[in-house]
Amino acid sequence: MLKAIHEYPKDKKIAGIHSLPITEDGSVIFVWDINEKTLTTVGGRIEEGEDLNTALNRETIEEAGLVLEKHRIPIASWYWESTDTYTVFVVARVKQYLPVPEGYETSGRVVLNFETARQLITKLEGVGHRTELLSLAEQESKILLKTRTKEPLYKLKDKERNRLLYPNLLNDRFRIIGNHTIIHESYEDVLIQIESLGPGFTGDYIYVSRNDIQRLKDI
């Protein structure tokens, strides 16, 4: 049975943890389960020696190629009578996008707005615990988006290279989410990983040089 929560249960062991990652524009991310042939939440069992956050960090990278921000809000628990344990569910903002690893039971991340996700899941499997989870996640995501710490935002510079490679992104706002080093024979390139906040390319990322971007307040 699914139960709404605001803190992790303490009366029994927590054996699994799942997340509903939230993007900058308020979309939710699921993964496609190859075996179940449906959308599922991101997560799995807690392995020996792991705490909740370590387990979720590992599962999120393995299944969806995502790094989540440290602030996670518990929204629900599922009690397994057969093992007398809980699986818990959290919402958290996406911090960084990585390539999706191969060889796991999921085939990649699926980014949807909440209404589309609700309709698709209902069509795939009817109204059930996943649609209930979605409603809980939607409520908390609105709070999560409002409480974000302010950070610098950027735009692509209006230069020939950007016009050629990213013609539809010149009006987008970006935030820096990581760095990527490319090693050549005699030198290294450090590229900046930036996530688009829209309107053209919301929820995904590109790699650029530091000279390709400019802070919004400096424009």
Side-chain angles (χ1 to χ4, degrees):
M1 177 183 294
L2 193 72
K3 179 182 178 182
I5 60 173
H6 297 289
E7 60 181 19
Y8 296 120
K10 299 176 182 178
D11 58 318
K12 300 182 187 299
K13 180 182 178 181
I14 298 174
I17 183 166
H18 288 242
S19 70
L20 288 89
I22 306 299
T23 67
E24 183 69 30
D25 70 344
S27 297
V28 62
I29 298 180
F30 285 85
V31 288
W32 184 259
D33 190 294
I34 298 171
N35 299 318
E36 291 189 25
K37 294 182 173 56
T38 192
L39 294 174
T40 65
T41 50
V42 184
R45 294 189 61 81
I46 299 172
E47 296 183 355
E48 185 176 355
E50 290 183 327
D51 59 22
L52 292 177
N53 287 321
T54 303
L56 184 59
N57 292 343
R58 172 183 53 78
E59 289 282 352
T60 307
I61 291 174
E62 290 177 353
E63 293 189 353
L66 296 174
V67 177
L68 300 179
E69 293 190 350
K70 293 181 180 181
H71 182 49
R72 291 104 192 257
I73 302 175
I75 60 170
S77 64
W78 181 277
Y79 173 64
W80 300 94
E81 188 174 354
S82 59
T83 58
D84 195 30
T85 61
Y86 288 113
T87 293
V88 294
F89 300 85
V90 305
V91 293
R93 295 179 67 106
V94 176
K95 180 180 180 181
Q96 185 176 359
Y97 295 86
L98 304 172
V100 179
E102 297 180 356
Y104 294 94
E105 65 270 21
T106 59
S107 61
R109 53 183 177 255
V110 183
V111 184
L112 302 162
N113 64 50
F114 275 93
E115 183 55 33
T116 303
R118 185 177 294 106
Q119 293 184 22
L120 183 54
I121 291 172
T122 300
K123 186 172 184 178
L124 287 169
E125 57 190 55
V127 176
H129 75 274
R130 268 191 265 266
T131 53
E132 188 177 350
L133 267 174
L134 199 61
S135 295
L136 293 171
E138 186 173 19
Q139 295 172 21
E140 292 296 337
S141 70
K142 295 174 182 177
I143 300 172
L144 200 63
L145 291 170
K146 289 180 181 179
T147 57
R148 183 180 183 88
T149 303
K150 290 185 177 180
E151 61 181 321
L153 297 180
Y154 298 82
K155 289 190 71 174
L156 292 172
K157 290 182 178 179
D158 187 11
K159 51 193 286 190
E160 184 177 356
R161 180 179 183 278
N162 288 338
R163 289 195 297 270
L164 178 65
L165 294 176
Y166 313 112
N168 299 322
L169 304 181
L170 294 178
N171 292 323
D172 280 21
R173 297 170 302 125
F174 294 87
R175 68 185 181 109
I176 294 177
I177 58 176
N179 297 294
H180 183 70
T181 302
I182 300 177
I183 301 176
H184 302 275
E185 289 186 3
S186 58
Y187 66 96
E188 295 182 357
D189 276 342
V190 178
L191 298 180
I192 308 299
Q193 186 182 22
I194 58 175
E195 179 190 17
S196 172
L197 310 184
F201 199 52
T202 301
D204 218 329
Y205 62 88
I206 58 175
Y207 291 100
V208 296
S209 73
R210 176 67 73 170
N211 291 330
D212 289 329
I213 58 175
Q214 187 173 4
R215 282 187 64 166
L216 282 175
K217 74 173 188 177
D218 298 331
I219 296 175

